[in-house]
């Protein structure tokens, strides 16, 4: 169910993700490709989406089932936070290599995905594919700490109001709101992650230091730099939350 949801959302919203990446690129939106080659890097996403989303939900649901929840309402948010955080750590092992290749293809639309992958491996080795792992985890954990407890709480509230468990479309609406809010507050971490992944080998950002990357963006571009791409990011993740969490619930209902 998670794998199906991941493929659906990533492929449908890929153009918005490309626009966001180019807005965050240090070379600027136009030089990074503008609106040309809006599907550059899509093969990397297509390959990585299913196992990445599947790994997240396998971890999330298993950890959630092992931790106390339900009987003590005050423990539920903490349970969802821990489960989502561990899910992100596992999923990022698959997501980061796919994301590195995808983002480099998005800002170099004239280069193929295979060429970018081979160049990364040749110049930087396997560690090059994991450039930005720490910054991705540091972006995804705060995002999940906000999104998943909010999603679960909104579903519980809606269920209580109507007297029965929410439908998949209602879960999708809750997911859209939770995703959009989480996207807005974590945008600076997303900008730092993009700069680290796109940095040339040997540059200061290539070291993967998130605080240094954030400091550099603040000094050169201020608040607008830290929130570069916030509108397409919120739009993509709100729509993504609707499709991703709605599709997950619907597919799980069909399978179970």
């Amino acid at each position: 169910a998670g794998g199906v949801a991941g493929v659906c959302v990533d492929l449908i919203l890929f153009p918005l993700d490309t626009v966001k990446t180019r807005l965050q690129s240090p070379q600027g939106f136009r030089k990074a490709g503008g609106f040309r080659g809006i599907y550059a890097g899509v093969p990397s996403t297509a390959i990585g989406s299913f196992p990445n989303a599947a790994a997240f939900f396998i971890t999330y649901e298993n950890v959630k089932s092992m931790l106390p929840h339900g009987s003590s309402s005050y423990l539920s948010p903490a349970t969802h936070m821990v489960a989502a955080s561990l899910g992100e750590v596992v999923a990022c092992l698959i997501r980061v290599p796919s994301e590195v290749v995808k983002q480099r293809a998005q800002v170099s639309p004239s280069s193929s995905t295979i060429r970018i992958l081979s160049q990364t491996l040749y110049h930087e080795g396997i560690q090059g594919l994991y450039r930005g792992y720490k910054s991705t985890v540091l972006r995804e954990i705060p995002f999940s700490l906000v999104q998943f407890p909010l999603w679960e709480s909104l579903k519980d509230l809606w269920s209580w109001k109507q007297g029965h468990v929410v439908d998949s479309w209602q879960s999708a609406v809750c997911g859209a709101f939770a995703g959009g809010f989480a996207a807005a507050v974590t945008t600076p971490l997303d900008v730092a992650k993009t700069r680290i992944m796109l940095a040339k080998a040997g540059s200061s950002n290539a070291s993967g230091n998130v605080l240094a990357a954030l400091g550099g963006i603040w000094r050169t571009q201020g608040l607008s730099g830290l929130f570069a791409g916030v509108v397409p990011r919120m739009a993509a993740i709100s729509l993504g939350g609707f499709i991703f969490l709605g599709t997950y619930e619907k597919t799980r209902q069909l399978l179970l």
Side-chain angles (χ1 to χ4, degrees), residues 164-179:
H164 62 83
V165 176
V166 293
D167 297 324
S168 54
W169 73 267
Q170 293 170 324
S171 176
V173 171
C174 295
F177 182 83

Side-chain angles (χ1 to χ4, degrees), residues 67-92:
L67 294 172
H69 67 287
S71 56
S72 304
S73 58
Y74 66 90
L75 281 178
S76 289
T79 296
H80 298 142
M81 286 178 177
V82 172
S85 298
L86 290 173
E88 291 295 357
V89 170
V90 173
C92 282

Side-chain angles (χ1 to χ4, degrees), residues 93-213:
L93 293 170
I94 301 165
R95 182 181 307 150
V96 171
S98 170
E99 185 96 343
V100 167
V101 174
K102 178 201 76 175
Q103 290 204 315
R104 291 180 181 185
Q106 285 175 328
V107 298
S108 304
S110 58
S111 298
S112 69
T113 298
I114 292 294
R115 187 180 175 190
I116 287 171
L117 174 62
S118 61
Q119 283 180 338
T120 302
L121 287 171
Y122 179 77
H123 292 293
E124 300 175 65
I126 292 292
Q127 64 267 33
L129 291 176
Y130 280 91
R131 166 94 70 78
Y133 177 80
K134 285 187 293 183
S135 59
T136 304
V137 170
L138 285 172
R139 177 198 67 174
E140 295 296 354
I141 287 179
F143 180 86
S144 293
L145 289 179
V146 176
Q147 184 189 33
F148 279 87
L150 185 56
W151 176 55
E152 300 275 12
S153 297
L154 289 171
K155 286 197 300 176
D156 289 345
L157 180 62
W158 204 336
S159 298
W160 175 73
K161 282 271 189 183
Q162 65 186 9
H164 62 83
V165 176
V166 293
D167 297 324
S168 54
W169 73 267
Q170 293 170 324
S171 176
V173 171
C174 295
F177 182 83
F181 182 76
V185 299
T186 58
T187 294
L189 292 171
D190 186 56
V191 177
K193 187 264 319 173
T194 298
R195 295 293 178 90
I196 287 166
M197 285 185 170
L198 297 180
K200 292 181 180 177
S203 65
S204 57
N205 278 340
S207 65
N209 189 316
V210 178
L211 289 177

